[in-house]
Amino acid sequence: MAHSATHPEDHLLTVSENPRSNLLDRGFTVLVQGVALLVIAILLGITAVVLAYAQPAIAHFGLAFLWSTAWDVPSLQFGALPYIFGTLVTSSVGLILALPISMAVAILTSENFLPAFVREPLAFLVQLLAAIPSVVIGLWGIYVLIPFLLPIGTWLNNNFGWFPLFSTPPAGPGLLPAGVILAVMIIPTIASVSRDVLTVVPKELRSASMALGATQWETILAVMLPAAAPGVVGASMLGLGRALGETMAVSMVIGNSGQITASLLDLGNTIPSLLASQFAEAESPLHIGSLMYLALILFVLTLMVNVAAVLLVRVFGVKV
Amino acid sequence: MTNHHATAEILSEPLSLQRRALSALMMGLTYLLFLVAIIPLGSLLYTIVSQGLPRFSWNVFFHIPAPIGEAGLIDGFGNAIQGSLMVLAVACIISIPVGLLAAIYMAEFGRNSKTAHVIRFVTQVLSAVPSVVVGVFAYGVIVFTPAIEIGGVLLKPKGFSAVAAGVALAVLMVPIIALTAEESLKLVANAQRLGSMALGGSRFQTTFKVVIPQSMAGITTGVLLALSRAAGETAPLLFTAFFTQNWPTGFDHPTPTLPVLIYNFSQSAYTSQNEMAWTAAMVLVALVLLASLVSRLAVRKSFR
């Protein structure tokens, strides 16, 4: 934190008397500033390019694109709803599964239940998962996760088939495997940010709670977690942002069938996964435009979630 | 007196069963959930090695995928490794200078300025843009638009190319490099800068001769981190680099890459290609984990 505070000596750093080096300094300052502004330009550029290419579809379908369910390439009928639905459902399933697990990881690696020489490697192990490319996780999803979930899905359908979420027999790929794989992928994010947030909760809060006679777990549940709650929400939203945009792993296990269904055991599709499977082959401007329109929706969605997340986590002074 | 006595008795009592049960229950639940978090990683690493190893030989680095049905040819994915290196080279050439200069602005030249705060925020937002959207952007800017040629030098090709893929990966790498490099530049004590200035050093000299040499470990970490993230990216490559079964023929042509090969082979109807996907995954994971391991060790060493 200390380095981000304004230093009283800072103004001295701008003084440079030597005229020759002054010129070099000025030139370099302009260059550095220009490049830094380029970062803003890239973000604006992404917005502009996606918007421009989406124009044919925006002009043709308008806002009705958002709630239309048609996706027929030969007859050029396009609608986003099944893909928005799939994206939101898989991300929510992922988040719901990942949150308790991530909290367990965050608590276990920030409290002193285990000695530091065990805690640190365990935290590292969880983070290792974040380094594995998503296409490899997708491969694992096809050959390990789907066969593992299939009997569970069958059992759920046999015994709880009356419940809408399990109302169809499992097809193998589908919304549930996609949700589970997203949970696996966002646990490292949520766990590490939550852990950082938990470690910066003021020590006095913990001491006060313990002094009043609370056990360690009562302190965690009644003091630490409530104090860290905004940061944990921020961490979850960072995870959600990742889940919304995740492409390959989801595309490989979701079955790529754009439909709206109550059953998690049924096939589905998401915006990123549709982009991955159709973009390279799209030819008509309306088809490309519709895909770009979807990319725009995804972009806006993730932008909102991530801006909120960064602002929430920043309250704690934790770097994302 | 009796009252006092009763209090002392309560204080010397063990915790109530309920409170002890809560602790035990939560402890058990936490360990159980932690185990659930670790299982996928274990299963993943085990499957990658057990499925990938049987087909692995040094030949995979030097041969292209054997056509289906032709016996006796040596199978490999050397073309995809070469293509990945080409794409990553383009990405590095663009993203390292841009990321570093942006970091130098945020940490040194624009330190504490309002612009620097805005740029940091935008960089964080940029780092969270889905990679598939970045791929779509690169497609719109480079693949779809006409080629640019000045004086016989091809500046920008049209169509699928390693350059288009490199630009897409560069956009993903810039925020990672900029944010980690900024952090490590800021760790350099202000007294060092003042010392350099007091000796008559310009800001340029201070930055390059005093600040950057001290934060080299952190900067290297950021670059390696970005590189390992980019090496595994697949989605943006699908419609920028595309794929070929042969050796790459230049930076302006469709280029095979390791992640896209894994994806294509995983979707293949042929078992031999499915098996090769695992071998390619093993090579990719080994490379990526090596890079992130080195970067983590570098962090530990420099930040202590």
Side-chain angles (χ1 to χ4, degrees):
Chain A
M1 279 317 282
H3 53 253
S4 64
T6 312
H7 292 280
E9 318 95 319
D10 264 6
H11 70 279
L12 291 176
L13 295 177
T14 57
V15 181
S16 187
E17 292 299 329
N18 184 340
R20 235 184 79 230
S21 61
N22 211 352
L23 195 69
L24 185 65
D25 262 19
R26 269 195 213 148
F28 193 66
T29 310
V30 171
L31 174 71
V32 175
Q33 197 156 17
V35 170
L37 290 173
L38 186 67
V39 176
I40 299 182
I42 294 174
L43 193 67
L44 293 178
I46 294 176
T47 321
V49 166
V50 173
L51 203 60
Y53 278 89
Q55 206 48 53
I58 296 176
H60 192 271
F61 299 115
L63 277 178
F65 185 73
L66 293 177
W67 52 84
S68 161
T69 56
W71 193 274
D72 188 356
V73 180
S75 66
L76 293 179
Q77 282 305 313
F78 301 108
L81 194 60
Y83 307 100
I84 297 176
F85 171 82
T87 307
L88 294 180
V89 168
T90 50
S91 302
S92 316
V93 171
L95 188 58
I96 290 167
L97 293 176
L99 196 54
I101 299 174
S102 307
M103 290 324 292
V105 174
I107 290 171
L108 207 59
T109 51
S110 66
E111 294 285 324
N112 63 353
F113 296 123
L114 296 166
F117 69 90
V118 180
R119 234 185 302 155
E120 293 297 328
L122 283 182
F124 174 72
L125 215 55
V126 175
Q127 290 313 306
L128 210 56
L129 202 55
I132 308 239
S134 73
V135 68
V136 176
I137 297 189
L139 195 62
W140 174 79
I142 297 176
Y143 290 100
V144 180
L145 186 66
I146 289 180
F148 170 76
L149 287 176
L150 198 55
I152 299 177
T154 309
W155 182 84
L156 283 171
N157 178 239
N158 286 342
N159 294 284
F160 301 96
W162 49 268
F163 193 58
L165 287 182
F166 312 118
S167 56
T168 59
L175 295 168
L176 182 67
V180 172
I181 220 158
L182 283 177
V184 169
M185 298 183 76
I186 64 178
I187 284 172
T189 309
I190 305 181
S192 80
V193 179
S194 301
R195 179 199 187 194
D196 290 350
V197 170
L198 280 173
T199 49
V200 296
V201 170
K203 283 197 173 63
E204 291 78 7
L205 289 180
R206 178 194 295 276
S207 309
S209 166
M210 300 292 248
L212 287 171
T215 63
Q216 187 168 2
W217 266 108
E218 285 164 350
T219 306
I220 294 170
L221 294 174
V223 176
M224 301 300 286
L225 288 181
V232 171
V233 173
S236 309
M237 292 185 83
L238 278 178
L240 182 65
R242 247 200 101 184
L244 290 172
E246 176 47 47
T247 312
M248 297 318 295
V250 170
S251 162
M252 290 159 89
V253 300
I254 199 167
N256 294 315
S257 153
Q259 56 178 354
I260 296 174
T261 162
S263 171
L264 290 179
L265 305 173
D266 214 344
L267 305 176
N269 210 346
T270 66
I271 295 176
S273 151
L274 183 78
L275 288 175
S277 59
Q278 293 201 350
F279 206 91
E281 278 109 46
E283 272 171 7
S284 98
L286 198 57
H287 189 193
I288 294 179
S290 300
L291 290 169
M292 285 284 191
Y293 201 165
L294 281 176
L296 185 69
I297 296 169
L298 179 70
F299 182 56
V300 172
L301 211 60
T302 48
L303 210 63
M304 290 190 308
V305 169
N306 281 304
V307 168
V310 170
L311 294 179
L312 272 172
V313 176
R314 205 180 257 184
V315 173
F316 287 83
V318 171
K319 295 273 158 38
V320 182
Chain B
M1 218 38 209
T2 41
N3 207 350
H4 183 82
H5 198 76
T7 315
E9 205 156 82
I10 290 171
L11 283 175
S12 62
E13 260 178 22
L15 285 177
S16 72
L17 189 65
Q18 271 173 319
R19 297 179 67 192
R20 273 182 292 157
L22 176 78
S23 290
L25 188 77
M26 290 310 296
M27 207 64 250
L29 193 65
T30 305
Y31 279 117
L32 185 75
L33 289 177
F34 186 84
L35 202 65
V36 173
I38 292 291
I39 286 173
L41 180 73
S43 162
L44 200 73
L45 292 178
Y46 169 77
T47 326
I48 289 170
V49 175
S50 67
Q51 299 284 314
L53 212 50
R55 282 201 155 238
F56 180 80
S57 75
W58 296 109
N59 282 326
V60 298
F61 295 107
F62 308 109
H63 292 269
I64 59 171
I68 294 295
E70 290 204 29
L73 279 175
I74 302 171
D75 209 357
F77 41 80
N79 58 337
I81 293 175
Q82 191 194 328
S84 272
L85 291 179
M86 286 164 65
V87 171
L88 288 174
V90 175
C92 281
I93 290 170
I94 301 169
S95 65
I96 293 178
V98 173
L100 278 189
L101 290 176
I104 291 174
Y105 177 76
M106 288 189 283
E108 304 291 323
F109 287 72
R111 174 182 270 252
N112 297 326
S113 71
K114 209 160 198 157
T115 329
H117 283 296
V118 173
I119 288 172
R120 188 174 308 112
F121 184 70
V122 169
T123 312
Q124 282 174 343
V125 170
L126 188 64
S127 75
V129 173
S131 65
V132 69
V133 174
V134 173
V136 161
F137 164 71
Y139 176 90
V141 172
I142 298 186
V143 178
F144 205 68
T145 52
I148 301 172
E149 209 172 329
I150 293 176
V153 181
L154 186 68
L155 285 182
K156 187 198 84 62
K158 178 182 166 60
F160 300 120
S161 66
V163 173
V167 169
L169 293 189
V171 172
L172 295 169
M173 287 172 72
V174 163
I176 305 177
I177 296 178
L179 292 173
T180 42
E182 191 214 356
E183 281 301 300
S184 72
L185 289 176
K186 276 183 167 175
L187 287 180
V188 176
N190 223 19
Q192 302 261 4
R193 295 186 181 87
L194 293 172
S196 164
M197 292 291 199
L199 292 171
S202 67
R203 289 202 93 176
F204 182 80
Q205 288 167 324
T206 307
T207 304
F208 277 89
K209 296 199 169 156
V210 178
V211 181
I212 291 185
Q214 292 193 56
S215 36
M216 237 15 231
I219 292 171
T220 315
T221 301
V223 171
L224 277 174
L225 199 69
L227 205 55
S228 70
R229 197 75 61 81
E233 272 300 343
T234 316
L237 301 184
L238 288 174
F239 30 85
T240 51
F242 207 62
F243 193 72
T244 65
Q245 292 284 340
N246 298 309
W247 292 98
T249 46
F251 285 92
D252 53 346
H253 285 84
T255 308
T257 53
L258 209 44
V260 175
L261 177 123
I262 296 171
Y263 176 65
N264 286 349
F265 278 14
S266 79
Q267 307 290 306
S268 164
Y270 299 100
T271 331
S272 64
Q273 291 197 330
N274 298 157
E275 288 168 7
M276 215 45 174
W278 281 106
T279 307
M282 188 177 80
V283 171
L284 181 62
V285 168
L287 292 175
V288 166
L289 286 190
L290 192 72
S292 69
L293 217 64
V294 169
S295 73
R296 266 167 200 275
L297 292 180
V299 170
R300 196 162 296 174
K301 212 175 159 194
S302 65
F303 296 161
R304 204 77 36 116

